Amino acid sequence: MILRKVKQEEIVKIAVLVSALVTLPITISLFRISALGQDDLPVISFGYLLIRLLFIFLLSYVVLQFNSNWKYQNFRFPPTLQKVLVVLVNIGIYIASITLFTATYTFFVAEEMTGPEKKFFYFIFSIVHILQLFIARILRLGIIRQENLLENERLQQQNLQKELSALKNQLNPHFLFNSLNTLNSLIRENSEATMFVNKLSHMYRYILQSGERDLVCLKDELKFLDSYAFLIKTRYRQACFEIDMDIDEHHYHQEIPPMALQLLVENAVKHNEISKNCPLQLRIYSEGNYIVVRNRLHSRISEVEGTGSGLLNLDKRYMLLRKKKIIIEQDDTFFTVKLPVIPLE
């Protein structure tokens, strides 16, 4: 995740303010508003004042930019190495600024710095550098706080949308169940049709019950998938559709987002040819801390309409719930999706 940048305007304003404050005593002395009373200070001139303002501004700007923006955008190293590099770069900025200022000082003042002057300017540049490090951290914390607020607001909106969708889905569910029971009584002599209605009823009940939950037990999800698979087999006949299940039992009490497996099976049905000559075979098995859904590719000849957002939405759900991502792999033969299983807390 890439963090937002601190605005350039804020960095420039802070750099200008710091350079103005640091050079304020020199400015006062230049306009004879007050005397510094320091014999070691150089002869004051507008050129000297401007060059000092410029260097303090540049030092402040570079330190702020690096520590609040650049290191977050360009440093992709292990944490320990990243910290070492950040320290080295800051030391390099400090040494470079001192070296350039010393050379420019000699050019404008037309004389070498004395020992006390060097110590004085080293001290000033050190204070400015340390001050900008603290300011950069404060700016970055402000950005993180804004992002957290935006993320919380987005989650609240998604929860409201989810509640609205749940309300829409639950419009008079008793009417549907009563209708299914009535249909079941009418087709009682047909065992296959009766089983179909029972599986459909179980699926709808599961959807209603899991609609308010972010995670469900894998064991319950597999029961739901069994009902869904029965409907698919009834549609395409047994010989055309098959699911081979091999999941370690210790995963049964772990959790995944509701209807995650059904979405993957539906995705396979949607995008592959299914016939006697080209049956759809899916494997659902456990692999480490993942549940893997794999199918052999038999892409449909005709294009399938769809938003293409199913896998993307599932991936976002995992990121929002547990900061985990699903793994999608595809080659010329197989399409594979790996879902992280989440231990019960």
Side-chain angles (χ1 to χ4, degrees), residues 69-106:
N69 286 328
W70 294 341
K71 73 178 184 181
Y72 294 97
Q73 296 171 325
N74 303 315
F75 280 24
R76 298 291 184 270
F77 305 105
T80 302
L81 178 59
Q82 182 168 324
K83 290 178 181 179
V84 172
L85 289 175
V86 168
V87 171
L88 291 177
V89 171
N90 275 289
I91 293 175
I93 293 172
Y94 175 77
I95 294 174
S97 61
I98 285 290
T99 303
L100 289 174
F101 181 78
T102 303
T104 309
Y105 174 95
T106 304

Short mmCIF file of all heavy atoms in Angstrom, two decimals, residues 69-106:
data_model
loop_
_atom_site.label_atom_id
_atom_site.label_comp_id
_atom_site.label_asym_id
_atom_site.label_seq_id
_atom_site.Cartn_x
_atom_site.Cartn_y
_atom_site.Cartn_z
N ASN A 69 8.24 11.95 2.36
CA ASN A 69 7.72 11.43 1.09
C ASN A 69 8.64 10.42 0.42
O ASN A 69 8.27 9.27 0.21
CB ASN A 69 7.43 12.58 0.11
CG ASN A 69 6.19 13.37 0.48
OD1 ASN A 69 5.25 12.82 1.04
ND2 ASN A 69 6.20 14.65 0.19
N TRP A 70 9.86 10.85 0.08
CA TRP A 70 10.71 10.06 -0.81
C TRP A 70 11.04 8.68 -0.26
O TRP A 70 11.03 7.70 -0.98
CB TRP A 70 12.00 10.83 -1.12
CG TRP A 70 11.76 12.07 -1.92
CD1 TRP A 70 10.66 12.35 -2.68
CD2 TRP A 70 12.63 13.20 -2.04
NE1 TRP A 70 10.78 13.59 -3.27
CE2 TRP A 70 11.99 14.14 -2.89
CE3 TRP A 70 13.88 13.53 -1.52
CZ2 TRP A 70 12.55 15.36 -3.23
CZ3 TRP A 70 14.45 14.75 -1.86
CH2 TRP A 70 13.79 15.64 -2.70
N LYS A 71 11.36 8.61 1.03
CA LYS A 71 11.77 7.30 1.56
C LYS A 71 10.60 6.31 1.59
O LYS A 71 10.81 5.10 1.50
CB LYS A 71 12.37 7.46 2.96
CG LYS A 71 11.38 7.76 4.08
CD LYS A 71 12.10 7.83 5.41
CE LYS A 71 11.13 8.04 6.58
NZ LYS A 71 11.83 8.13 7.87
N TYR A 72 9.36 6.81 1.66
CA TYR A 72 8.20 5.91 1.64
C TYR A 72 7.87 5.45 0.23
O TYR A 72 7.31 4.38 0.04
CB TYR A 72 6.98 6.61 2.24
CG TYR A 72 7.13 6.91 3.72
CD1 TYR A 72 7.54 8.17 4.15
CD2 TYR A 72 6.88 5.93 4.67
CE1 TYR A 72 7.70 8.44 5.50
CE2 TYR A 72 7.03 6.19 6.02
CZ TYR A 72 7.44 7.45 6.43
OH TYR A 72 7.60 7.72 7.77
N GLN A 73 8.23 6.27 -0.77
CA GLN A 73 7.91 5.95 -2.16
C GLN A 73 8.99 5.11 -2.83
O GLN A 73 8.68 4.26 -3.67
CB GLN A 73 7.72 7.24 -2.97
CG GLN A 73 6.53 8.07 -2.49
CD GLN A 73 6.48 9.43 -3.15
OE1 GLN A 73 7.52 10.02 -3.42
NE2 GLN A 73 5.29 9.91 -3.42
N ASN A 74 10.24 5.32 -2.48
CA ASN A 74 11.34 4.72 -3.24
C ASN A 74 12.10 3.63 -2.50
O ASN A 74 12.87 2.90 -3.13
CB ASN A 74 12.33 5.82 -3.64
CG ASN A 74 11.66 6.92 -4.45
OD1 ASN A 74 10.89 6.63 -5.36
ND2 ASN A 74 11.95 8.17 -4.14
N PHE A 75 11.93 3.52 -1.19
CA PHE A 75 12.68 2.52 -0.43
C PHE A 75 11.83 1.26 -0.27
O PHE A 75 10.82 1.28 0.42
CB PHE A 75 13.08 3.06 0.94
CG PHE A 75 14.30 3.95 0.90
CD1 PHE A 75 14.65 4.61 -0.26
CD2 PHE A 75 15.09 4.13 2.02
CE1 PHE A 75 15.76 5.42 -0.31
CE2 PHE A 75 16.21 4.96 1.98
CZ PHE A 75 16.54 5.60 0.80
N ARG A 76 12.23 0.17 -0.93
CA ARG A 76 11.53 -1.11 -0.82
C ARG A 76 12.52 -2.17 -0.35
O ARG A 76 12.88 -3.09 -1.06
CB ARG A 76 10.93 -1.50 -2.18
CG ARG A 76 9.88 -0.53 -2.70
CD ARG A 76 8.62 -0.57 -1.86
NE ARG A 76 7.58 0.28 -2.40
CZ ARG A 76 7.41 1.54 -2.08
NH1 ARG A 76 8.21 2.08 -1.18
NH2 ARG A 76 6.45 2.26 -2.61
N PHE A 77 13.00 -1.98 0.88
CA PHE A 77 14.01 -2.87 1.44
C PHE A 77 13.50 -3.46 2.75
O PHE A 77 12.51 -2.99 3.31
CB PHE A 77 15.32 -2.11 1.69
CG PHE A 77 15.86 -1.39 0.49
CD1 PHE A 77 15.76 -0.01 0.38
CD2 PHE A 77 16.46 -2.09 -0.54
CE1 PHE A 77 16.25 0.67 -0.73
CE2 PHE A 77 16.95 -1.45 -1.65
CZ PHE A 77 16.85 -0.07 -1.75
N PRO A 78 14.17 -4.50 3.26
CA PRO A 78 13.83 -5.01 4.59
C PRO A 78 13.94 -3.89 5.63
O PRO A 78 14.75 -2.97 5.47
CB PRO A 78 14.88 -6.11 4.82
CG PRO A 78 15.29 -6.54 3.46
CD PRO A 78 15.21 -5.32 2.60
N PRO A 79 13.14 -3.94 6.70
CA PRO A 79 13.09 -2.85 7.67
C PRO A 79 14.44 -2.41 8.21
O PRO A 79 14.73 -1.21 8.30
CB PRO A 79 12.20 -3.42 8.79
CG PRO A 79 11.34 -4.42 8.11
CD PRO A 79 12.19 -5.01 7.01
N THR A 80 15.30 -3.37 8.60
CA THR A 80 16.60 -3.00 9.18
C THR A 80 17.47 -2.26 8.16
O THR A 80 18.05 -1.21 8.47
CB THR A 80 17.34 -4.27 9.66
OG1 THR A 80 16.53 -4.95 10.62
CG2 THR A 80 18.67 -3.88 10.30
N LEU A 81 17.55 -2.80 6.94
CA LEU A 81 18.33 -2.15 5.90
C LEU A 81 17.75 -0.78 5.57
O LEU A 81 18.50 0.17 5.34
CB LEU A 81 18.35 -3.03 4.64
CG LEU A 81 19.10 -2.46 3.43
CD1 LEU A 81 20.56 -2.17 3.77
CD2 LEU A 81 18.99 -3.41 2.25
N GLN A 82 16.45 -0.67 5.57
CA GLN A 82 15.82 0.61 5.26
C GLN A 82 16.18 1.66 6.30
O GLN A 82 16.49 2.81 5.95
CB GLN A 82 14.30 0.44 5.19
CG GLN A 82 13.55 1.71 4.82
CD GLN A 82 12.10 1.42 4.48
OE1 GLN A 82 11.79 0.41 3.90
NE2 GLN A 82 11.22 2.32 4.86
N LYS A 83 16.18 1.30 7.58
CA LYS A 83 16.55 2.25 8.63
C LYS A 83 17.99 2.71 8.48
O LYS A 83 18.29 3.90 8.65
CB LYS A 83 16.32 1.61 10.00
CG LYS A 83 14.85 1.40 10.36
CD LYS A 83 14.72 0.71 11.71
CE LYS A 83 13.25 0.48 12.05
NZ LYS A 83 13.09 -0.22 13.35
N VAL A 84 18.88 1.76 8.16
CA VAL A 84 20.30 2.12 7.97
C VAL A 84 20.45 3.08 6.81
O VAL A 84 21.17 4.09 6.90
CB VAL A 84 21.14 0.84 7.74
CG1 VAL A 84 22.57 1.21 7.34
CG2 VAL A 84 21.15 -0.03 9.00
N LEU A 85 19.76 2.80 5.70
CA LEU A 85 19.85 3.68 4.53
C LEU A 85 19.31 5.07 4.82
O LEU A 85 19.85 6.08 4.36
CB LEU A 85 19.10 3.05 3.35
CG LEU A 85 19.74 1.81 2.72
CD1 LEU A 85 18.84 1.22 1.66
CD2 LEU A 85 21.10 2.17 2.13
N VAL A 86 18.22 5.13 5.57
CA VAL A 86 17.63 6.44 5.92
C VAL A 86 18.62 7.26 6.74
O VAL A 86 18.81 8.46 6.50
CB VAL A 86 16.31 6.24 6.69
CG1 VAL A 86 15.85 7.56 7.32
CG2 VAL A 86 15.23 5.71 5.76
N VAL A 87 19.28 6.61 7.72
CA VAL A 87 20.28 7.32 8.53
C VAL A 87 21.44 7.80 7.66
O VAL A 87 21.89 8.95 7.77
CB VAL A 87 20.80 6.40 9.67
CG1 VAL A 87 21.99 7.05 10.38
CG2 VAL A 87 19.69 6.11 10.66
N LEU A 88 21.93 6.94 6.76
CA LEU A 88 23.05 7.30 5.90
C LEU A 88 22.69 8.45 4.97
O LEU A 88 23.49 9.37 4.75
CB LEU A 88 23.50 6.09 5.09
CG LEU A 88 24.16 4.95 5.88
CD1 LEU A 88 24.48 3.77 4.97
CD2 LEU A 88 25.43 5.44 6.58
N VAL A 89 21.50 8.41 4.41
CA VAL A 89 21.08 9.49 3.50
C VAL A 89 20.96 10.80 4.26
O VAL A 89 21.38 11.86 3.76
CB VAL A 89 19.75 9.13 2.82
CG1 VAL A 89 19.20 10.35 2.05
CG2 VAL A 89 19.93 7.96 1.86
N ASN A 90 20.42 10.78 5.48
CA ASN A 90 20.31 12.01 6.27
C ASN A 90 21.69 12.57 6.62
O ASN A 90 21.90 13.79 6.58
CB ASN A 90 19.50 11.76 7.54
CG ASN A 90 18.00 11.87 7.31
OD1 ASN A 90 17.49 12.97 7.10
ND2 ASN A 90 17.32 10.75 7.33
N ILE A 91 22.62 11.68 6.95
CA ILE A 91 23.99 12.13 7.22
C ILE A 91 24.59 12.73 5.96
O ILE A 91 25.27 13.78 6.00
CB ILE A 91 24.85 10.96 7.73
CG1 ILE A 91 24.37 10.52 9.11
CG2 ILE A 91 26.33 11.36 7.78
CD1 ILE A 91 25.07 9.28 9.65
N GLY A 92 24.35 12.10 4.79
CA GLY A 92 24.85 12.63 3.53
C GLY A 92 24.28 14.00 3.22
O GLY A 92 25.01 14.89 2.75
N ILE A 93 22.98 14.19 3.47
CA ILE A 93 22.35 15.51 3.25
C ILE A 93 23.01 16.56 4.14
O ILE A 93 23.32 17.68 3.70
CB ILE A 93 20.83 15.43 3.51
CG1 ILE A 93 20.15 14.55 2.47
CG2 ILE A 93 20.22 16.83 3.50
CD1 ILE A 93 18.69 14.28 2.77
N TYR A 94 23.25 16.21 5.39
CA TYR A 94 23.85 17.15 6.34
C TYR A 94 25.28 17.54 5.90
O TYR A 94 25.62 18.72 5.85
CB TYR A 94 23.88 16.53 7.73
CG TYR A 94 24.60 17.37 8.76
CD1 TYR A 94 23.98 18.48 9.33
CD2 TYR A 94 25.89 17.04 9.19
CE1 TYR A 94 24.64 19.25 10.27
CE2 TYR A 94 26.55 17.80 10.12
CZ TYR A 94 25.92 18.91 10.66
OH TYR A 94 26.57 19.69 11.60
N ILE A 95 26.08 16.54 5.55
CA ILE A 95 27.46 16.81 5.13
C ILE A 95 27.50 17.64 3.85
O ILE A 95 28.27 18.59 3.71
CB ILE A 95 28.23 15.48 4.95
CG1 ILE A 95 28.39 14.78 6.30
CG2 ILE A 95 29.60 15.73 4.32
CD1 ILE A 95 29.01 13.39 6.20
N ALA A 96 26.63 17.29 2.89
CA ALA A 96 26.59 18.02 1.62
C ALA A 96 26.18 19.47 1.84
O ALA A 96 26.77 20.40 1.23
CB ALA A 96 25.62 17.33 0.66
N SER A 97 25.20 19.70 2.69
CA SER A 97 24.74 21.07 2.93
C SER A 97 25.83 21.90 3.62
O SER A 97 26.05 23.07 3.27
CB SER A 97 23.47 21.06 3.78
OG SER A 97 23.71 20.45 5.05
N ILE A 98 26.54 21.32 4.58
CA ILE A 98 27.63 22.02 5.26
C ILE A 98 28.75 22.35 4.27
O ILE A 98 29.29 23.47 4.24
CB ILE A 98 28.17 21.17 6.42
CG1 ILE A 98 27.20 21.19 7.61
CG2 ILE A 98 29.54 21.65 6.87
CD1 ILE A 98 27.12 22.50 8.33
N THR A 99 29.11 21.37 3.43
CA THR A 99 30.20 21.57 2.46
C THR A 99 29.87 22.68 1.47
O THR A 99 30.68 23.58 1.22
CB THR A 99 30.48 20.26 1.71
OG1 THR A 99 30.79 19.23 2.65
CG2 THR A 99 31.66 20.43 0.75
N LEU A 100 28.67 22.63 0.92
CA LEU A 100 28.26 23.64 -0.06
C LEU A 100 28.16 25.02 0.58
O LEU A 100 28.56 26.04 -0.01
CB LEU A 100 26.92 23.25 -0.69
CG LEU A 100 26.95 22.06 -1.64
CD1 LEU A 100 25.54 21.68 -2.08
CD2 LEU A 100 27.81 22.39 -2.86
N PHE A 101 27.64 25.07 1.80
CA PHE A 101 27.50 26.36 2.46
C PHE A 101 28.87 26.97 2.76
O PHE A 101 29.07 28.17 2.60
CB PHE A 101 26.71 26.21 3.76
CG PHE A 101 26.52 27.52 4.48
CD1 PHE A 101 25.56 28.42 4.07
CD2 PHE A 101 27.31 27.85 5.57
CE1 PHE A 101 25.38 29.63 4.73
CE2 PHE A 101 27.16 29.05 6.23
CZ PHE A 101 26.19 29.94 5.81
N THR A 102 29.81 26.13 3.18
CA THR A 102 31.15 26.64 3.48
C THR A 102 31.80 27.23 2.24
O THR A 102 32.40 28.32 2.28
CB THR A 102 32.02 25.50 4.05
OG1 THR A 102 31.40 24.95 5.21
CG2 THR A 102 33.41 26.02 4.42
N ALA A 103 31.67 26.52 1.11
CA ALA A 103 32.25 27.02 -0.14
C ALA A 103 31.58 28.31 -0.58
O ALA A 103 32.23 29.26 -1.03
CB ALA A 103 32.12 25.95 -1.22
N THR A 104 30.26 28.37 -0.47
CA THR A 104 29.52 29.57 -0.88
C THR A 104 29.82 30.73 0.06
O THR A 104 29.89 31.89 -0.37
CB THR A 104 28.01 29.26 -0.90
OG1 THR A 104 27.78 28.08 -1.65
CG2 THR A 104 27.24 30.41 -1.52
N TYR A 105 29.99 30.43 1.32
CA TYR A 105 30.31 31.46 2.31
C TYR A 105 31.62 32.16 1.93
O TYR A 105 31.71 33.40 1.94
CB TYR A 105 30.44 30.80 3.69
CG TYR A 105 30.92 31.73 4.79
CD1 TYR A 105 30.00 32.36 5.62
CD2 TYR A 105 32.28 31.94 5.02
CE1 TYR A 105 30.43 33.20 6.63
CE2 TYR A 105 32.71 32.78 6.02
CZ TYR A 105 31.78 33.41 6.83
OH TYR A 105 32.21 34.24 7.83
N THR A 106 32.63 31.38 1.59
CA THR A 106 33.91 31.97 1.20
C THR A 106 33.76 32.87 -0.03
O THR A 106 34.38 33.94 -0.12
CB THR A 106 34.92 30.85 0.90
OG1 THR A 106 35.03 30.00 2.04
CG2 THR A 106 36.28 31.42 0.55
#
